[in-house]
Amino acid sequence: MNRALRYVRHNGLSLCFGLLLLGALVGQAFAGWADHNDRLIAERGAPIDLVRYVTSSDFAVDVAENWQSEYLQFFLYILLTVWLIQLGSPESKHPPDIGVESDKQQLVGRYATKDSPLWARVGGWRTAVFSRSLGLMMLVLFLLSWFAQSVSGMSAYNAEQLGNLQDPVGYVEYVFSADFWNRTLQNWQSEFLAIGSMAVFSVYLRQRGSPESKPVGAPHARTEQSG
């Protein structure tokens, strides 16, 4: 197997989702553009071209509000699964392992192996940061996308206000507005529903061969085993 094929095989999941993301963004751009122009024509306005639409606050806020809810979901799931369990779920730890676990269990410091990442071996602040790096990255991405949503949302909201001959609002006023939280909470509740459903359904249902599922014949009460 040549190097290129090996790379594709070893990174197939991320490459596949990257292509799906690109395809969804392109599809959203064209669908949103058509919908936006339909509304402009209905309001006796002039339609705009695709480039102007994808660089507009309307498109940016639609993208950002979805991204921030996804990163919030993963940040909370990563953090809460340290301390909370769902008995029987392959996504959950065993009851005795609740918490951050010992250095020996986590292979850090003097318990690290020669193949462990450098920052897991050196100890001190670097190991402390690396030990929480996944959750921190999800938190940073959530905050950045949340900020992007708030700024683009304010711009889109103010454009609508001006079109209705009403006064625009400032950033702080918009962040506390019903428009902002209506957009935000719609996305949050859908993410919480999806991840909560997955945690419960994976106790009693199976998907053969998936690491997100227990082996087909595993008892319902068996926890932290994928197949």
Side-chain angles (χ1 to χ4, degrees):
M1 184 182 295
N2 64 41
R3 187 173 181 179
L5 289 176
R6 187 181 299 110
Y7 178 84
V8 171
R9 181 182 181 185
H10 290 175
N11 299 278
L13 190 60
S14 58
L15 290 172
C16 178
F17 273 98
L19 290 173
L20 288 172
L21 170 63
L22 181 61
L25 277 172
V26 171
Q28 180 186 351
F30 279 97
W33 176 47
D35 178 64
H36 186 74
N37 279 338
D38 284 344
R39 286 188 281 112
L40 287 175
I41 293 171
E43 296 168 0
R44 298 184 179 180
I48 61 175
D49 60 37
L50 179 62
V51 173
R52 183 177 172 189
Y53 173 70
V54 297
T55 56
S56 71
S57 57
D58 290 277
F59 181 70
V61 69
D62 288 341
V63 172
E65 70 183 25
N66 286 308
W67 288 17
Q68 60 93 359
S69 64
E70 293 294 339
Y71 284 121
L72 175 64
Q73 172 197 168
F74 283 114
F75 166 67
L76 290 177
Y77 196 67
I78 290 166
L79 184 65
L80 294 177
T81 50
V82 175
W83 303 100
L84 302 178
I85 66 168
Q86 181 65 51
L87 191 66
S89 172
E91 301 294 320
S92 172
K93 298 193 292 186
H94 292 292
D97 296 329
I98 290 175
V100 296
E101 303 178 0
S102 67
D103 287 353
K104 184 176 182 179
Q105 288 174 295
Q106 289 292 312
L107 301 177
V108 297
R110 63 192 180 95
Y111 297 104
T113 69
K114 64 178 181 179
D115 297 322
S116 296
L118 174 62
W119 280 35
R121 291 186 270 119
V122 294
W125 68 269
R126 287 178 291 181
T127 296
V129 170
F130 186 66
S131 297
R132 297 161 179 82
S133 56
L134 181 59
L136 288 172
M137 177 58 73
M138 293 298 160
L139 176 60
V140 168
L141 290 172
F142 161 66
L143 293 175
L144 289 175
S145 52
W146 184 90
F147 179 70
Q149 179 205 340
S150 65
V151 172
S152 56
M154 180 188 69
S155 179
Y157 181 79
N158 280 337
E160 185 176 342
Q161 288 286 97
L162 292 172
N164 295 329
L165 303 179
Q166 295 176 307
D167 293 333
V169 300
Y171 179 75
V172 174
E173 185 179 354
Y174 178 71
V175 167
F176 285 96
S177 71
D179 181 82
F180 176 75
W181 286 105
N182 179 49
R183 287 177 174 274
T184 299
L185 293 173
Q186 282 185 60
N187 285 278
W188 286 8
Q189 55 88 12
S190 63
E191 302 303 335
F192 298 155
L193 173 64
I195 204 69
S197 301
M198 178 64 180
V200 175
F201 291 158
S202 64
V203 176
Y204 303 103
L205 305 177
R206 309 286 189 270
Q207 182 62 52
R208 186 167 182 160
S210 173
E212 302 303 313
S213 168
K214 292 182 291 188
V216 176
H220 291 323
R222 185 172 295 173
T223 306
E224 197 191 30
Q225 180 183 5
S226 62

